[in-house]
């Protein structure tokens, strides 16, 4: 399972995460989750300044993605979040 840990200690389960070749945004699909809570967290730079992807025992850090670009609520109930470097 993939988890995303925010700079302020919030943790979310993910389906996938990556940087878009199209616009350089950091995109990830949060499994389930309350849309209002996701909006609150991912529009707050104190959470998004440093994001850490944890997959099995490996970690990858994404830094500086503090500009909220948008969210898409999928029919599955998952949410795709898009962030740009601020």
């Amino acid at each position: 399972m993939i988890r995303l840990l925010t700079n302020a200690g919030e943790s979310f389960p993910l389906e996938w995460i990556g940087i878009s070749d199209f616009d350089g945004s950091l995109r990830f699909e949060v499994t389930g989750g309350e849309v209002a809570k996701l909006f609150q967290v991912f529009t707050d730079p104190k959470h998004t300044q440093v994001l850490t992807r944890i997959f099995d025992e490996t970690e990858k850090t994404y830094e500086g993605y503090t500009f909220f670009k948008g969210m898409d609520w999928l029919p599955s109930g998952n949410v795709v979040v898009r962030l740009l470097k601020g």
Side-chain angles (χ1 to χ4, degrees):
M1 176 197 304
I2 304 170
R3 298 215 48 90
L4 184 68
L5 181 63
T6 74
N7 194 50
E10 295 282 346
S11 179
F12 299 94
L14 300 183
E15 289 291 323
W16 53 265
I17 184 170
I19 298 173
S20 170
D21 289 337
F22 177 71
D23 62 2
S25 65
L26 177 65
R27 298 174 187 226
F28 48 90
E29 183 178 339
V30 180
T31 305
E34 184 182 316
V35 174
K37 172 72 173 179
L38 296 174
F39 183 81
Q40 177 187 19
V41 169
F42 293 112
T43 58
D44 186 344
K46 80 175 181 187
H47 282 280
T48 63
Q49 185 176 16
V50 177
L51 296 166
T52 304
R53 180 210 68 197
I54 303 166
F55 180 65
D56 291 332
E57 296 186 22
T58 61
E59 294 184 4
K60 179 175 173 80
T61 302
Y62 300 91
E63 295 185 34
Y65 289 90
T66 57
F67 182 78
F68 179 76
K69 186 170 180 192
M71 280 189 331
D72 293 315
W73 194 6
L74 303 176
S76 65
N78 291 352
V79 177
V80 175
V81 179
R82 296 182 313 278
L83 302 171
L84 289 171
K85 283 200 171 187

XYZ file of all heavy atoms in Angstrom:
692
model
N 0.829 -1.175 0.000
C 0.000 0.000 0.000
C 0.882 1.250 0.000
O 1.924 1.289 0.632
C -0.910 0.019 1.225
C -1.722 1.289 1.286
S -2.508 1.734 2.850
C -3.473 0.319 3.235
N 0.433 2.268 -0.703
C 1.131 3.549 -0.758
C 0.448 4.490 0.237
O -0.778 4.552 0.298
C 1.066 4.161 -2.170
C 1.632 3.202 -3.208
C 1.806 5.491 -2.206
C 1.386 3.651 -4.638
N 1.237 5.225 0.997
C 0.706 6.230 1.919
C 1.398 7.556 1.623
O 2.558 7.580 1.201
C 0.948 5.838 3.368
C 0.239 4.551 3.717
C -0.315 4.426 5.092
N -1.096 5.471 5.668
C -2.430 5.592 5.566
N -3.116 4.776 4.817
N -3.064 6.559 6.196
N 0.675 8.636 1.863
C 1.235 9.971 1.721
C 1.200 10.632 3.086
O 0.146 10.710 3.717
C 0.435 10.795 0.716
C 1.004 12.181 0.414
C 2.332 12.048 -0.338
C 0.027 13.003 -0.404
N 2.349 11.110 3.531
C 2.466 11.783 4.812
C 2.733 13.257 4.551
O 3.671 13.596 3.822
C 3.616 11.167 5.622
C 3.860 11.731 7.010
C 2.658 11.487 7.924
C 5.115 11.120 7.601
N 1.907 14.134 5.134
C 2.103 15.573 4.943
C 3.111 16.096 5.947
O 3.434 15.443 6.944
C 0.788 16.361 5.093
O 0.425 16.427 6.479
C -0.338 15.757 4.270
N 3.569 17.306 5.708
C 4.534 17.971 6.576
C 3.986 18.156 7.996
O 4.746 18.193 8.953
C 4.906 19.327 5.969
C 6.123 19.932 6.602
O 7.145 19.285 6.730
N 6.013 21.184 6.998
N 2.659 18.250 8.130
C 2.031 18.465 9.446
C 1.552 17.159 10.074
O 0.844 17.171 11.076
C 0.882 19.451 9.315
N 1.914 16.017 9.484
C 1.635 14.732 10.107
C 0.367 14.013 9.697
O 0.059 12.952 10.227
N -0.394 14.551 8.739
C -1.584 13.847 8.232
C -1.126 12.727 7.306
O -0.136 12.872 6.583
C -2.499 14.801 7.462
C -3.111 15.890 8.298
C -4.288 15.434 9.137
O -4.826 14.329 8.908
O -4.668 16.194 10.034
N -1.859 11.622 7.290
C -1.506 10.479 6.459
C -2.723 10.040 5.648
O -3.836 9.986 6.185
C -1.026 9.344 7.359
O -0.697 8.212 6.598
N -2.495 9.722 4.362
C -3.574 9.326 3.464
C -3.156 8.121 2.631
O -2.018 8.067 2.153
C -3.929 10.475 2.511
C -4.413 11.714 3.214
C -3.524 12.732 3.538
C -5.738 11.853 3.556
C -3.956 13.867 4.190
C -6.190 12.987 4.215
C -5.294 13.999 4.536
N -4.076 7.179 2.397
C -3.787 6.055 1.502
C -3.905 6.522 0.046
O -4.804 7.294 -0.296
C -4.872 5.035 1.849
C -6.019 5.854 2.344
C -5.408 7.055 3.008
N -2.997 6.046 -0.806
C -2.986 6.442 -2.222
C -3.071 5.232 -3.138
O -2.588 4.152 -2.808
C -1.699 7.190 -2.570
C -1.374 8.477 -1.851
C -0.078 9.065 -2.423
C -2.500 9.477 -1.932
N -3.628 5.464 -4.318
C -3.571 4.486 -5.415
C -2.276 4.677 -6.198
O -1.641 3.722 -6.600
C -4.773 4.655 -6.353
C -6.090 4.213 -5.776
C -6.166 2.712 -5.602
O -5.639 1.971 -6.455
O -6.734 2.272 -4.595
N -1.922 5.941 -6.453
C -0.720 6.280 -7.229
C -0.316 7.718 -6.934
O -1.110 8.495 -6.399
C -0.947 6.081 -8.733
C -2.158 6.798 -9.276
C -3.404 6.280 -9.446
C -2.238 8.155 -9.705
N -4.268 7.233 -9.941
C -3.566 8.393 -10.123
C -1.333 9.201 -9.789
C -4.008 9.632 -10.595
C -1.765 10.430 -10.265
C -3.086 10.619 -10.666
N 0.922 8.066 -7.317
C 1.423 9.433 -7.174
C 2.505 9.649 -8.226
O 3.252 8.724 -8.560
C 1.981 9.698 -5.760
C 2.406 11.165 -5.586
C 3.084 8.730 -5.416
C 2.739 11.549 -4.153
N 2.589 10.862 -8.773
C 3.633 11.169 -9.746
C 3.591 12.619 -10.181
O 2.655 13.350 -9.883
N 4.633 13.011 -10.914
C 4.737 14.364 -11.446
C 4.355 14.323 -12.917
O 4.903 13.532 -13.682
C 6.155 14.917 -11.250
C 6.452 14.994 -9.744
C 6.294 16.286 -11.907
C 7.872 15.372 -9.406
N 3.429 15.183 -13.293
C 2.913 15.232 -14.661
C 3.955 15.778 -15.631
O 4.585 16.807 -15.369
C 1.663 16.115 -14.701
O 1.272 16.365 -16.020
N 4.128 15.104 -16.754
C 4.988 15.613 -17.824
C 4.352 16.816 -18.507
O 5.037 17.635 -19.100
C 5.240 14.531 -18.878
C 6.149 13.431 -18.377
O 6.928 13.678 -17.437
O 6.085 12.312 -18.917
N 3.048 16.922 -18.423
C 2.308 17.985 -19.108
C 2.545 19.355 -18.470
O 2.896 20.305 -19.155
C 0.811 17.653 -19.126
C -0.040 18.713 -19.737
C -0.011 18.949 -21.099
C -0.868 19.482 -18.943
C -0.795 19.939 -21.662
C -1.661 20.471 -19.503
C -1.621 20.704 -20.859
N 2.356 19.458 -17.154
C 2.457 20.767 -16.514
C 3.354 20.782 -15.268
O 3.453 21.785 -14.582
C 1.075 21.308 -16.152
C 0.321 20.433 -15.164
O 0.881 19.412 -14.721
O -0.837 20.765 -14.839
N 3.998 19.674 -14.970
C 4.893 19.610 -13.824
C 4.197 19.524 -12.479
O 4.837 19.633 -11.440
N 2.878 19.338 -12.502
C 2.160 19.255 -11.235
C 2.367 17.899 -10.584
O 2.580 16.896 -11.252
C 0.662 19.525 -11.438
O 0.065 18.520 -12.232
N 2.314 17.909 -9.258
C 2.317 16.676 -8.492
C 0.868 16.221 -8.414
O -0.001 16.977 -7.994
C 2.877 16.900 -7.089
C 2.877 15.690 -6.159
C 3.810 14.602 -6.700
C 3.283 16.097 -4.751
N 0.604 15.014 -8.865
C -0.752 14.475 -8.877
C -0.767 13.163 -8.118
O 0.166 12.376 -8.211
C -1.235 14.231 -10.310
C -1.308 15.491 -11.121
C -1.651 15.190 -12.563
N -1.558 16.408 -13.337
C -2.466 16.801 -14.214
N -3.517 16.058 -14.463
N -2.305 17.926 -14.872
N -1.858 12.944 -7.394
C -2.009 11.685 -6.671
C -3.480 11.399 -6.449
O -4.299 12.310 -6.384
C -1.235 11.699 -5.345
C -1.437 12.921 -4.500
C -2.452 12.973 -3.554
C -0.610 14.026 -4.648
C -2.629 14.093 -2.763
C -0.787 15.158 -3.866
C -1.798 15.193 -2.917
N -3.787 10.093 -6.362
C -5.161 9.643 -6.160
C -5.305 9.120 -4.737
O -4.709 8.114 -4.366
C -5.528 8.547 -7.158
C -6.967 8.096 -7.032
C -7.358 7.046 -8.060
O -6.677 6.933 -9.111
O -8.338 6.322 -7.812
N -6.100 9.839 -3.947
C -6.357 9.464 -2.561
C -7.502 8.457 -2.553
O -8.551 8.685 -3.156
C -6.731 10.692 -1.711
C -6.995 10.286 -0.270
C -5.636 11.756 -1.784
N -7.302 7.348 -1.862
C -8.310 6.307 -1.765
C -9.365 6.730 -0.750
O -9.060 6.894 0.435
C -7.681 4.976 -1.310
O -6.624 4.655 -2.204
C -8.692 3.856 -1.310
N -10.600 6.906 -1.244
C -11.672 7.339 -0.343
C -11.359 8.708 0.221
O -10.770 9.544 -0.430
N -11.738 8.927 1.434
C -11.431 10.205 2.070
C -12.557 11.201 1.931
O -13.327 11.170 0.974
N -12.654 12.067 2.898
C -13.673 13.111 2.919
C -13.166 14.307 2.120
O -12.097 14.850 2.412
C -13.935 13.491 4.373
C -15.030 14.485 4.553
C -15.208 14.843 6.016
O -15.189 13.929 6.858
O -15.350 16.042 6.288
N -13.935 14.721 1.124
C -13.508 15.792 0.220
C -13.190 17.078 0.978
O -12.182 17.727 0.707
C -14.565 16.036 -0.885
C -14.208 17.243 -1.730
C -14.703 14.800 -1.759
N -14.017 17.442 1.939
C -13.781 18.674 2.699
C -12.450 18.611 3.452
O -11.706 19.592 3.487
C -14.929 18.934 3.665
N -12.139 17.472 4.045
C -10.883 17.294 4.774
C -9.691 17.368 3.817
O -8.680 18.017 4.097
C -10.890 15.948 5.514
C -9.590 15.555 6.148
C -9.280 16.378 7.362
C -8.048 15.813 8.061
N -7.690 16.567 9.227
N -9.823 16.704 2.661
C -8.742 16.742 1.672
C -8.500 18.169 1.199
O -7.352 18.602 1.071
C -9.076 15.832 0.487
C -9.178 14.343 0.809
C -9.653 13.574 -0.415
C -7.859 13.796 1.310
N -9.578 18.922 0.952
C -9.445 20.319 0.516
C -8.747 21.140 1.595
O -7.835 21.916 1.300
C -10.822 20.909 0.190
C -10.747 22.309 -0.334
C -10.441 22.547 -1.667
C -10.964 23.386 0.502
C -10.359 23.842 -2.153
C -10.881 24.693 0.029
C -10.581 24.915 -1.299
N -9.153 20.950 2.838
C -8.562 21.687 3.959
C -7.058 21.416 4.057
O -6.264 22.340 4.233
C -9.255 21.283 5.259
C -8.666 21.924 6.490
C -9.270 21.364 7.770
O -9.863 20.287 7.778
N -9.114 22.081 8.859
N -6.664 20.167 3.933
C -5.250 19.800 4.073
C -4.429 20.262 2.879
O -3.380 20.897 3.034
C -5.101 18.272 4.276
C -3.642 17.840 4.146
C -5.666 17.858 5.625
N -4.881 19.979 1.660
C -4.040 20.209 0.486
C -4.077 21.631 -0.053
O -3.357 21.954 -0.991
C -4.343 19.164 -0.584
C -3.916 17.793 -0.147
C -4.841 16.801 0.125
C -2.582 17.496 0.047
C -4.449 15.542 0.556
C -2.161 16.249 0.493
C -3.102 15.273 0.752
N -4.867 22.511 0.573
C -4.797 23.939 0.252
C -3.952 24.683 1.271
O -3.762 25.887 1.151
C -6.203 24.578 0.194
O -6.865 24.382 1.444
C -7.025 24.007 -0.943
N -3.421 23.974 2.245
C -2.638 24.582 3.319
C -1.147 24.273 3.117
O -0.722 23.131 3.277
C -3.120 24.024 4.658
C -2.469 24.701 5.846
O -1.434 25.384 5.672
O -2.997 24.537 6.956
N -0.355 25.300 2.787
C 1.072 25.077 2.541
C 1.828 24.448 3.709
O 2.849 23.794 3.501
C 1.615 26.473 2.240
C 0.432 27.230 1.742
C -0.738 26.681 2.516
N 1.345 24.619 4.937
C 2.058 23.990 6.063
C 1.990 22.462 5.955
O 2.854 21.770 6.465
C 1.541 24.479 7.410
C 0.283 23.838 7.887
C -0.097 24.298 9.283
C -1.365 23.580 9.713
N -1.897 24.048 10.950
N 0.968 21.942 5.268
C 0.863 20.507 5.034
C 1.648 20.072 3.794
O 2.223 18.996 3.767
C -0.606 20.101 4.828
C -1.385 20.001 6.091
N -1.320 18.918 6.927
C -2.259 20.863 6.654
C -2.127 19.111 7.962
N -2.701 20.292 7.823
N 1.640 20.916 2.755
C 2.156 20.478 1.454
C 3.596 20.883 1.172
O 4.140 20.482 0.152
C 1.256 21.003 0.316
O 1.293 22.431 0.302
C -0.169 20.510 0.480
N 4.194 21.659 2.053
C 5.571 22.098 1.838
C 6.507 20.909 1.623
O 7.378 20.938 0.771
C 6.026 22.939 3.025
C 7.372 23.546 2.867
C 7.708 24.456 4.038
O 7.077 24.404 5.092
N 8.703 25.289 3.852
N 6.301 19.860 2.398
C 7.046 18.613 2.224
C 6.044 17.468 2.303
O 5.317 17.344 3.284
C 8.138 18.422 3.305
C 8.840 17.083 3.122
C 9.141 19.561 3.281
N 5.978 16.665 1.242
C 5.106 15.493 1.201
C 5.983 14.264 1.025
O 6.921 14.279 0.222
C 4.114 15.608 0.038
C 3.123 16.765 0.131
C 2.441 16.982 -1.211
C 2.091 16.504 1.219
N 5.684 13.217 1.754
C 6.499 12.005 1.702
C 5.641 10.819 1.284
O 4.631 10.524 1.938
C 7.146 11.711 3.069
O 7.900 12.859 3.469
C 8.057 10.499 2.988
N 6.040 10.184 0.184
C 5.374 8.963 -0.263
C 6.067 7.787 0.407
O 7.292 7.669 0.360
C 5.492 8.808 -1.780
C 4.785 7.534 -2.265
C 5.433 6.958 -3.489
N 6.767 6.433 -3.158
C 7.689 6.165 -4.047
N 7.478 6.369 -5.328
N 8.857 5.688 -3.687
N 5.275 6.937 1.036
C 5.815 5.751 1.697
C 5.227 4.533 0.995
O 4.006 4.364 0.956
C 5.459 5.735 3.194
C 5.975 7.009 3.864
C 6.011 4.491 3.865
C 5.414 7.268 5.234
N 6.092 3.714 0.409
C 5.674 2.504 -0.284
C 6.541 1.369 0.229
O 7.754 1.370 0.039
C 5.823 2.657 -1.792
C 5.399 1.445 -2.567
C 4.080 1.030 -2.566
C 6.323 0.719 -3.290
C 3.681 -0.091 -3.285
C 5.942 -0.403 -4.019
C 4.612 -0.808 -4.011
N 5.901 0.399 0.891
C 6.626 -0.658 1.593
C 7.608 0.013 2.556
O 7.189 0.720 3.438
C 7.306 -1.625 0.625
C 6.295 -2.471 -0.142
O 5.192 -2.720 0.398
O 6.596 -2.889 -1.271
N 8.881 -0.156 2.337
C 9.851 0.456 3.248
C 10.644 1.578 2.590
O 11.635 2.048 3.153
C 10.780 -0.618 3.803
C 10.027 -1.632 4.650
C 10.951 -2.625 5.326
O 12.146 -2.328 5.493
O 10.453 -3.697 5.690
N 10.206 2.016 1.407
C 10.915 3.099 0.727
C 10.124 4.397 0.836
O 8.899 4.393 0.844
C 11.167 2.774 -0.758
O 9.925 2.606 -1.415
C 11.992 1.510 -0.905
N 10.862 5.488 0.926
C 10.250 6.812 1.017
C 10.793 7.702 -0.095
O 11.957 7.613 -0.456
C 10.563 7.455 2.370
C 9.951 6.738 3.537
C 10.192 7.450 4.859
O 10.778 8.560 4.864
O 9.788 6.901 5.887
N 9.910 8.547 -0.623
C 10.304 9.557 -1.611
C 9.677 10.863 -1.165
O 8.500 10.903 -0.828
C 9.826 9.182 -3.008
C 10.194 10.217 -4.059
C 9.816 9.774 -5.449
C 10.023 10.846 -6.469
N 11.378 10.997 -6.912
N 10.471 11.923 -1.173
C 10.009 13.224 -0.707
C 9.771 14.165 -1.880
O 10.572 14.226 -2.815
C 11.052 13.833 0.256
O 11.238 12.928 1.341
C 10.589 15.163 0.794
N 8.666 14.895 -1.805
C 8.324 15.932 -2.778
C 8.289 17.247 -2.013
O 7.525 17.397 -1.068
C 6.959 15.661 -3.421
C 6.880 14.344 -4.152
C 6.451 13.192 -3.510
C 7.242 14.253 -5.492
C 6.369 11.981 -4.175
C 7.163 13.039 -6.170
C 6.726 11.913 -5.499
O 6.657 10.711 -6.164
N 9.108 18.204 -2.422
C 9.205 19.470 -1.696
C 8.756 20.643 -2.551
O 8.990 20.679 -3.755
C 10.648 19.705 -1.247
C 11.125 18.680 -0.248
C 12.513 18.981 0.288
O 12.852 20.183 0.436
O 13.250 18.027 0.556
N 8.084 21.603 -1.899
C 7.734 22.863 -2.542
C 6.423 22.884 -3.294
O 6.106 23.873 -3.950
N 5.630 21.833 -3.216
C 4.346 21.794 -3.928
C 3.275 22.439 -3.050
O 2.437 21.777 -2.456
C 3.978 20.353 -4.304
C 4.858 19.827 -5.407
C 6.041 19.169 -5.119
C 4.514 20.035 -6.744
C 6.868 18.704 -6.135
C 5.335 19.576 -7.760
C 6.507 18.918 -7.455
O 7.330 18.469 -8.465
N 3.311 23.784 -2.981
C 2.454 24.526 -2.057
C 1.296 25.251 -2.733
O 0.497 25.885 -2.058
C 3.290 25.557 -1.275
O 3.942 26.429 -2.202
C 4.333 24.864 -0.401
N 1.176 25.158 -4.045
C 0.082 25.825 -4.756
C -0.964 24.793 -5.157
O -0.677 23.879 -5.938
C 0.617 26.564 -5.996
C -0.443 27.308 -6.737
C -0.899 28.529 -6.280
C -0.994 26.778 -7.889
C -1.889 29.218 -6.966
C -1.986 27.453 -8.573
C -2.431 28.680 -8.118
N -2.158 24.936 -4.617
C -3.255 24.018 -4.912
C -3.798 24.305 -6.304
O -4.230 25.414 -6.598
C -4.361 24.199 -3.866
C -5.558 23.329 -4.086
C -5.520 21.981 -3.773
C -6.725 23.861 -4.597
C -6.630 21.172 -3.967
C -7.842 23.064 -4.788
C -7.794 21.721 -4.474
N -3.776 23.308 -7.190
C -4.274 23.480 -8.558
C -5.688 22.947 -8.723
O -6.449 23.442 -9.540
C -3.343 22.794 -9.552
C -3.740 23.082 -10.989
C -2.719 22.638 -11.964
C -3.220 22.980 -13.364
N -2.439 22.362 -14.382
N -6.068 21.925 -7.963
C -7.434 21.420 -8.065
C -7.577 19.996 -7.568
O -6.604 19.329 -7.236
N -8.849 19.565 -7.530
C -9.196 18.208 -7.121
C -10.287 17.708 -8.047
O -11.147 18.470 -8.469
C -9.776 18.183 -5.698
C -8.788 18.248 -4.617
S -9.436 17.972 -2.931
C -11.090 18.497 -2.941
N -10.236 16.424 -8.348
C -11.290 15.772 -9.125
C -11.834 14.618 -8.301
O -11.067 13.748 -7.865
C -10.733 15.220 -10.448
C -10.300 16.322 -11.389
O -11.053 17.297 -11.546
O -9.194 16.211 -11.945
N -13.128 14.622 -8.090
C -13.783 13.552 -7.348
C -14.223 12.505 -8.353
O -15.048 12.772 -9.228
C -14.966 14.111 -6.596
C -15.537 13.219 -5.545
C -15.055 12.025 -5.111
C -16.707 13.469 -4.777
N -15.844 11.518 -4.132
C -16.876 12.383 -3.904
C -17.632 14.502 -4.739
C -17.934 12.296 -3.009
C -18.675 14.418 -3.845
C -18.825 13.325 -2.998
N -13.661 11.321 -8.283
C -13.916 10.247 -9.241
C -15.172 9.460 -8.859
O -15.545 9.413 -7.682
C -12.713 9.311 -9.301
C -11.365 9.957 -9.647
C -10.256 8.925 -9.581
C -11.419 10.632 -10.996
N -15.821 8.813 -9.832
C -17.006 7.992 -9.534
C -16.738 6.900 -8.496
O -17.646 6.492 -7.775
C -17.369 7.383 -10.890
C -16.811 8.326 -11.896
C -15.564 8.888 -11.274
N -15.501 6.456 -8.391
C -15.134 5.419 -7.419
C -15.169 5.939 -5.979
O -15.093 5.164 -5.037
C -13.728 4.895 -7.717
O -12.775 5.927 -7.515
N -15.241 7.260 -5.823
C -15.159 7.868 -4.501
C -13.761 8.353 -4.170
O -13.557 9.066 -3.193
N -12.789 7.976 -4.988
C -11.419 8.464 -4.810
C -11.310 9.898 -5.302
O -12.155 10.368 -6.068
C -10.427 7.578 -5.555
C -10.299 6.202 -4.935
O -10.834 5.934 -3.858
N -9.607 5.312 -5.622
N -10.253 10.582 -4.872
C -10.051 11.981 -5.246
C -8.641 12.152 -5.795
O -7.674 11.715 -5.172
C -10.250 12.904 -4.026
C -9.967 14.356 -4.387
C -11.664 12.763 -3.466
N -8.531 12.786 -6.971
C -7.226 13.121 -7.544
C -6.915 14.569 -7.176
O -7.716 15.472 -7.442
C -7.199 12.949 -9.083
C -5.868 13.418 -9.656
C -7.454 11.487 -9.451
N -5.769 14.772 -6.532
C -5.324 16.102 -6.103
C -4.176 16.535 -7.003
O -3.318 15.722 -7.365
C -4.862 16.062 -4.634
C -4.361 17.434 -4.181
C -5.977 15.567 -3.721
N -4.177 17.838 -7.369
C -3.107 18.393 -8.196
C -2.492 19.587 -7.479
O -3.202 20.513 -7.079
C -3.662 18.823 -9.548
C -4.201 17.673 -10.360
C -4.721 18.089 -11.730
N -5.594 19.256 -11.768
C -6.908 19.231 -11.505
N -7.507 18.130 -11.151
N -7.627 20.333 -11.588
N -1.174 19.570 -7.327
C -0.432 20.647 -6.679
C 0.703 21.092 -7.588
O 1.315 20.276 -8.273
C 0.168 20.166 -5.346
C -0.792 19.621 -4.296
C 0.007 18.994 -3.148
C -1.699 20.706 -3.779
N 1.007 22.386 -7.567
C 2.140 22.943 -8.304
C 3.161 23.486 -7.315
O 2.815 23.827 -6.181
C 1.690 24.074 -9.214
C 0.872 23.688 -10.439
C 0.330 24.947 -11.116
C 1.723 22.898 -11.414
N 4.397 23.601 -7.778
C 5.414 24.238 -6.931
C 5.047 25.711 -6.798
O 4.731 26.378 -7.767
C 6.801 24.074 -7.532
C 7.356 22.696 -7.321
C 8.842 22.651 -7.464
C 9.305 21.276 -7.006
N 10.748 21.187 -6.955
N 5.102 26.193 -5.558
C 4.688 27.568 -5.271
C 5.826 28.528 -5.170
O 6.948 28.318 -5.173
